[in-house]
Amino acid sequence: MMKREPIAPEQRAEMRLKRLSNQLNLTDAQKKDIQPILLEQEKSRDNMISERKATKEAGKQMTMEEKLAKKDEFMKSQEAYKAKFEKILDANQLKKWEEIEANRKERAQEMMQKRIEKREAKKEGKAQDVKQE
């Protein structure tokens, strides 16, 4: 299976800005204000992924306290992003943006659940292979 070439944070932020612009009918001023927020989010996302990958490659497991601290840090950053968007968007745009975010989170949860089920099925398949030998 070929791995896709990673997209730079700047490119992802630009794609998200275009999508949001179309969905929310953003003004040029709003686009200018939102672009650095999206870029910050994308760079933060890359940092999180790099940290997780480094931890995994080192063969380390995060403790429950570390996981909770990371989750808390993530939630605080999400609240900060939302506060920034609330200052930029009008009431109708904000309502629509919140709906978009809720749908995005729902899809992400569904994808995560599918990955978990796939991983479990794979483990069960390996366990069955071992029993047959």
Side-chain angles (χ1 to χ4, degrees):
M1 187 160 130
M2 269 178 56
K3 287 202 173 201
R4 286 187 272 168
E5 189 68 30
I7 301 172
E10 295 80 7
Q11 291 173 307
R12 289 194 313 266
E14 188 62 35
M15 290 186 314
R16 286 181 62 199
L17 181 62
K18 285 179 183 176
R19 194 174 325 118
L20 278 177
S21 181
N22 289 334
Q23 293 169 325
L24 303 176
N25 297 319
L26 298 175
T27 66
D28 289 339
Q30 287 174 318
K31 290 178 194 176
K32 185 176 157 279
D33 292 341
I34 288 174
Q35 208 283 331
I37 298 169
L38 296 177
L39 182 57
E40 182 183 342
Q41 280 183 319
E42 292 300 334
K43 286 182 176 181
S44 174
R45 176 180 175 267
D46 277 2
N47 288 338
M48 281 183 7
I49 291 170
S50 295
E51 288 175 12
R52 195 174 325 126
K53 191 180 278 188
T55 301
K56 187 176 181 178
E57 287 173 356
K60 293 168 49 177
Q61 285 253 321
M62 289 175 54
T63 65
M64 187 55 74
E65 291 86 25
E66 290 171 327
K67 287 180 182 180
L68 291 173
K70 286 282 184 194
K71 180 79 170 174
D72 187 50
E73 179 183 329
F74 176 76
M75 295 301 289
K76 285 179 182 175
S77 71
Q78 292 299 95
E79 290 170 11
Y81 292 134
K82 183 177 180 183
K84 291 176 183 178
F85 272 84
E86 287 173 343
K87 292 178 183 175
I88 298 168
L89 302 176
D90 67 33
N92 290 333
Q93 289 172 321
L94 185 62
K95 183 178 184 221
K96 175 94 172 166
W97 178 73
E98 288 173 340
E99 290 171 4
I100 291 167
E101 286 297 296
N103 288 337
R104 185 186 60 75
K105 287 177 184 176
E106 187 177 313
R107 284 192 316 272
Q109 281 295 110
E110 289 171 2
M111 292 300 291
M112 180 72 77
Q113 188 61 40
K114 285 181 183 178
R115 270 191 239 126
I116 290 169
E117 290 169 2
K118 188 176 179 180
R119 197 176 305 135
E120 288 174 354
K122 195 174 182 180
K123 284 181 183 177
E124 288 176 11
K126 286 183 180 179
Q128 297 265 337
D129 291 344
V130 170
K131 286 181 184 177
Q132 290 176 358
E133 292 176 3

